[in-house]
């Protein structure tokens, strides 16, 4: 009986790990379509990263966390003032990891149309897409 319970709990936990994220991952083609529709793109990297690789043209720059992983104290107040919870918004970082974390956080806060650029600006650049240099 205990073994069956253990197997059931393990099964339920495994299913939870396979659940779809509460936001939408997009590739570069989908990002281009969203940008064409006027959906704002937030580049959540740090200023040194923006200078190093450039940014997607028209992207809004707003640092989410510093190099040590500490949250930018201005991020949440500025983001919530600029983006309505029911409006679409796209997030991008270097590889998609920080934007993934932020997308989850925003969905938990009630944002309903959050898009995460899978593989970040690294893939954007490697596929030959243009960037604006700072």
């Amino acid at each position: 009986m205990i073994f069956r319970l253990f197997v059931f709990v393990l099964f339920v936990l495994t299913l939870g790990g396979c659940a779809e994220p509460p936001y939408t991952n997009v590739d570069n083609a989908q990002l281009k379509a969203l940008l064409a529709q006027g959906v704002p793109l937030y580049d959540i990297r740090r200023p040194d990263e923006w200078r190093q690789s450039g940014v997607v043209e028209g992207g809004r720059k707003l640092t989410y966390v510093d190099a040590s992983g500490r949250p930018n104290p201005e991020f949440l107040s500025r983001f919530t003032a600029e983006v309505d919870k029911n409006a679409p918004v796209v997030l991008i970082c270097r590889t998609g990891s920080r934007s993934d974390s932020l997308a989850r956080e925003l969905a938990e806060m009630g944002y309903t149309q959050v898009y995460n650029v899978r593989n970040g600006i690294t893939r954007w650049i490697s596929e030959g897409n243009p960037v604006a240099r700072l």
Side-chain angles (χ1 to χ4, degrees):
M1 179 66 173
I2 292 176
F3 179 73
R4 281 188 193 178
L5 180 59
F6 173 76
V7 170
F8 176 75
V9 169
L10 187 59
F11 176 73
V12 169
L13 290 174
T14 302
L15 284 179
C18 296
E20 288 293 317
Y23 56 89
T24 303
N25 280 309
V26 296
D27 61 21
N28 288 332
Q30 293 165 312
L31 171 57
K32 289 176 186 177
L34 289 165
L35 292 173
Q37 294 170 24
V39 176
L41 169 69
Y42 279 81
D43 188 323
I44 64 166
R45 297 176 299 147
R46 299 181 312 274
D48 60 302
E49 293 176 291
W50 300 326
R51 286 187 299 274
Q52 181 182 29
S53 66
V55 297
V56 175
E57 185 70 41
R60 299 173 187 183
K61 299 176 295 297
L62 182 57
T63 300
Y64 174 48
V65 294
D66 67 18
S68 299
R70 290 184 301 262
N72 172 7
E74 298 172 10
F75 178 85
L76 197 55
S77 61
R78 184 171 153 199
F79 186 86
T80 57
E82 293 178 15
V83 181
D84 183 87
K85 285 188 175 184
N86 294 311
V89 63
V90 183
L91 306 172
I92 193 169
C93 66
R94 186 172 58 85
T95 63
S97 181
R98 283 174 281 179
S99 54
D100 173 82
S101 296
L102 178 57
R104 287 180 189 281
E105 185 178 328
L106 293 173
E108 289 173 7
M109 291 173 53
Y111 282 82
T112 59
Q113 296 185 67
V114 180
Y115 298 92
N116 174 49
V117 179
R118 186 182 305 118
N119 302 309
I121 197 157
T122 302
R123 175 72 55 88
W124 176 263
I125 293 169
S126 73
E127 291 182 358
N129 293 297
V131 291
R133 295 289 175 175
L134 302 181

